[in-house]
Amino acid sequence: MIRITELRLPLEHPPEALQTAAAMRLGIPEKAIRSLTVFKRSHDARKKSALTFIYTVDVEIDTETAILDKFADDPKIGPTPDTSYHFVTQAPAHLAARPVIVGFGPAGIFAALVLAQMGFRPLVLERGKAVRERTKDTWGLWRKNVLDPESNVQFGEGGAGTFSDGKLYSQVKDPRHLGRKVLTEFVKAGAPEEILYVAKPHIGTFRLVSMVEHMRREIESLGGEIRFQSRVTGLHIEHGQVRGVQLASGEEIEARQVVLALGHSARDTFEMLHATGVFMEAKPFSVGFRIEHPQSLIDRARLGANAGNPLLGAADYKLVHHAANGRSVYSFCMCPGGQVVAATSELNCVVTNGMSQYSRAERNANAGIVVGITPADYPGGAVGNPLAALSGIALQRQLESHAFKLGGGNYEAPAQLVGDFLAGRPSTRLGSVIPSYQPGVHLSDLATALPDYAIDAIREALPAFGRQIKGFDMADAVLTGVETRTSSPLRITRGEDCQSLNVKGLYPAGEGAGYAGGILSAGIDGIKVAEALALNAESAMR
């Protein structure tokens, strides 16, 4: 097939216009095109008065070789690359022992799925509950101010991404098109087919729940096993080789290959691994607040007269500001038409995150407005401190416990209007923007919620963002704190073989290990680790 990029058409074009445009680009009659498939669709909003769709399409014609020769020097026309997935191996006929996967978020799901499809019958150990039970527990915090530390937004089947916008795009390099494998499996599990071609695909929380269940059933049908409420509390290592894991129940499970597909909030597991001697190091992450605006304001600013057009949906944004104090401030995990959610996994802490349903139909837009920090900012992060690798966790806990106190000590979150935040005064009443955070917000002064350098940088950034998106720094916009789980505060460092630097058979994977950020990149990393494990399986069993 032939791939054509950058075909531009007006928003309201008829379906047949795409084939007409492809034929014109190739200089052939329309009837010469035997089939046409949309590979990607995005929109160009730079001219709000004349928005266009931009397509990448794959066409099938009989004279493919001649056309490719004719357009050999045209970078927008070429052969369609092979994006299908090819398994790197199959399990040995007599598999001595099953690989163990710790965690059943995106990285764990795709590691388990690919291993199961290759015949390895993986055993998955997930500390939390199955997704529907977990959803009930999560609503317990949102509606009743009751937190279950083992079943919440962070822990349980599907991982933290289950309660998010369900974004399925990433900036990671993916020369083998493993992201296509992730999206294809999601479609098989019930996701809308449009995620295969829209530029910024998303699914939404409710759809993710049923999809995760579907993928679990496929893994089980292929011989895999998933155990819930199975928290790993120990790792057995002999002579630098993993030998097994211990569960909180006291059960010991032999294993010579263990995938650590932990989420970024598995702090007790990080501490156990550190105490056991597994090499890890602190890494940068970001801290800040959630900001909420009327979605209609963002739509008008971004789409102009096309605001509200169902072909475009709710508008998003991506913002960056480099502050005078050297800090970078940026928007994180923007959720159009969504809500701010309570995302703590530890008692007496407050953490925020954003979530959207597939429809993105809620009244507010929200995003993290966060400041990048490095290990040099962490308490105890100095080189030579034996606990330096865990120092980012210490900072997170410090900020989250303080936010709990600022919010009134009942899991309500501290909040402040943007106008008051910029003026340096506490908020005493809400304006036109009603915050969506549940179980509720407690109006206060956020000046002490973050380090001074972060507060200063955000105060500088908000007016700058207002010059990019009219109304972004509106006085009634609401800041809710704190956003601290932007990514893992550490990395469980691995080599080119995807194994721990100092423990053979241990495969750190996904977001918690510091190798992904979001659903798609975590799924891709899970596949990479599964392949590395599979290729090493026979030697590992000797």
Side-chain angles (χ1 to χ4, degrees):
M1 298 183 76
I2 295 174
R3 175 159 293 176
I4 309 172
T5 63
E6 293 193 40
L7 282 178
R8 292 175 177 267
L9 291 172
L11 293 185
E12 304 291 347
H13 69 79
E16 61 272 15
L18 192 54
Q19 184 153 322
T20 301
M24 289 180 63
R25 176 70 67 84
L26 297 177
I28 60 175
E30 285 185 54
K31 62 182 180 180
I33 296 179
R34 296 173 57 188
S35 68
L36 181 148
T37 303
V38 176
F39 179 77
K40 183 179 180 181
R41 186 191 75 194
S42 59
H43 66 267
D44 185 348
R46 286 174 293 181
K47 293 183 179 179
K48 298 183 181 66
S49 61
L51 267 68
T52 58
F53 277 131
I54 306 171
Y55 288 93
T56 296
V57 299
D58 296 321
V59 297
E60 183 181 3
I61 59 175
D62 290 328
T63 57
E64 179 178 319
T65 301
I67 290 293
L68 289 174
D69 288 343
K70 177 181 177 181
F71 291 97
D73 296 325
D74 190 331
K76 298 178 183 179
I77 298 173
T80 299
D82 180 10
T83 60
S84 57
Y85 181 71
H86 304 280
F87 293 105
V88 296
T89 189
Q90 290 293 317
H94 303 288
L95 188 64
R98 295 190 295 177
V100 168
I101 299 171
V102 183
F104 202 52
I109 288 172
F110 277 93
L113 179 64
V114 170
L115 285 170
Q117 290 171 339
M118 290 189 288
F120 282 89
R121 299 181 294 106
L123 169 62
V124 179
L125 303 172
E126 166 56 52
R127 68 185 295 166
K129 297 180 183 178
V131 67
R132 292 191 187 272
E133 295 178 76
R134 173 196 179 198
T135 300
K136 294 177 182 177
D137 293 333
T138 300
W139 280 101
L141 174 60
W142 295 351
R143 290 178 173 173
K144 300 178 182 179
N145 303 60
V146 177
L147 171 68
D148 183 339
E150 292 298 328
S151 183
N152 46 62
V153 166
Q154 308 295 345
F155 299 144
E157 183 178 24
T162 304
F163 298 97
S164 70
D165 186 52
K167 294 178 182 67
L168 296 175
Y169 48 93
S170 172
Q171 295 180 334
V172 299
K173 294 180 180 178
D174 186 23
R176 293 180 53 218
H177 308 289
L178 298 181
R180 194 72 175 176
K181 166 71 168 174
V182 173
L183 297 180
T184 300
E185 292 293 347
F186 277 147
V187 170
K188 284 171 55 180
E193 288 196 20
E194 69 178 35
I195 71 170
L196 294 174
Y197 62 84
V198 295
K200 295 181 178 180
H202 80 285
I203 299 174
T205 291
F206 288 166
R207 291 197 177 200
L208 278 166
V209 168
S210 59
M211 289 163 51
V212 166
E213 291 179 316
H214 184 281
M215 297 177 80
R216 181 218 308 166
R217 288 193 293 269
E218 180 175 353
I219 293 166
E220 291 173 333
S221 73
L222 294 170
E225 179 184 355
I226 294 94
R227 297 189 194 177
F228 296 109
Q229 297 178 270
S230 298
R231 180 164 57 92
V232 172
T233 56
L235 186 69
H236 300 311
I237 302 169
E238 291 182 7
H239 307 297
Q241 166 70 51
V242 67
R243 296 292 182 179
V245 298
Q246 183 173 8
L247 304 184
S249 64
E251 181 183 359
E252 296 188 358
I253 298 172
E254 285 190 33
R256 294 181 65 88
Q257 291 182 302
V258 176
V259 176
L260 289 176
L262 308 171
H264 57 42
S265 296
R267 295 167 173 174
D268 52 356
T269 309
F270 293 147
E271 291 164 349
M272 176 274 291
L273 293 169
H274 186 268
T276 306
V278 175
F279 182 82
M280 59 183 67
E281 54 194 333
K283 62 173 274 297
F285 65 105
S286 300
V287 297
F289 306 124
R290 278 273 144 184
I291 192 167
E292 290 189 88
H293 301 90
Q295 180 62 49
S296 57
L297 180 147
I298 303 300
D299 290 344
R300 289 193 300 271
R302 299 286 288 157
L303 303 176
N306 288 287
N309 188 323
L311 292 173
L312 298 173
D316 63 2
Y317 57 79
K318 185 176 182 180
L319 300 167
V320 180
H321 175 73
H322 300 289
N325 65 3
R327 302 285 173 168
S328 292
V329 185
Y330 63 98
S331 59
F332 169 77
C333 188
M334 194 271 159
C335 295
Q339 64 190 94
V340 181
V341 299
T344 186
S345 54
E346 293 190 337
L347 295 170
N348 301 329
C349 289
V350 163
V351 181
T352 63
N353 195 15
M355 183 181 85
S356 294
Q357 300 302 340
Y358 176 72
S359 64
R360 290 177 164 174
E362 299 296 327
R363 64 179 179 269
N364 289 352
N366 77 78
I369 299 296
V370 298
V371 180
I373 59 175
T374 71
D377 299 311
Y378 309 162
V383 175
N385 181 352
L387 297 178
L390 304 175
S391 58
I393 294 175
L395 177 59
Q396 287 177 323
R397 282 177 168 151
Q398 175 184 315
L399 298 176
E400 293 165 12
S401 61
H402 184 55
F404 181 79
K405 295 173 184 175
L406 287 176
N410 60 355
Y411 295 106
E412 290 186 356
Q416 188 174 16
L417 274 61
V418 164
D420 294 331
F421 176 76
L422 294 176
R425 60 176 178 259
S427 290
T428 57
R429 63 179 181 177
L430 294 171
S432 58
V433 179
I434 305 303
S436 60
Y437 179 93
Q438 295 296 327
V441 301
H442 180 79
L443 292 176
S444 60
D445 187 348
L446 292 175
T448 65
L450 297 173
D452 289 344
Y453 58 76
I455 295 295
D456 292 343
I458 294 173
R459 281 182 172 150
E460 180 184 322
L462 290 175
F465 292 158
R467 292 190 287 273
Q468 297 178 57
I469 296 178
K470 185 178 180 180
F472 195 88
D473 56 344
M474 64 181 286
D476 284 359
V478 177
L479 295 169
T480 306
V482 288
E483 184 98 359
T484 52
R485 310 282 181 96
T486 51
S487 68
S488 180
L490 55 81
R491 177 173 288 112
I492 307 174
T493 316
R494 68 192 189 198
E496 292 185 4
D497 59 359
C498 290
Q499 296 183 68
S500 161
L501 291 184
N502 66 336
V503 182
K504 290 296 181 184
L506 191 64
Y507 294 83
E511 191 154 356
Y515 288 95
I519 296 172
L520 184 63
S521 62
I524 291 171
D525 199 61
I527 295 172
K528 289 179 180 178
V529 166
E531 292 177 339
L533 184 153
L535 291 171
N536 193 50
E538 289 195 31
S539 60
M541 297 306 171
R542 294 185 189 128

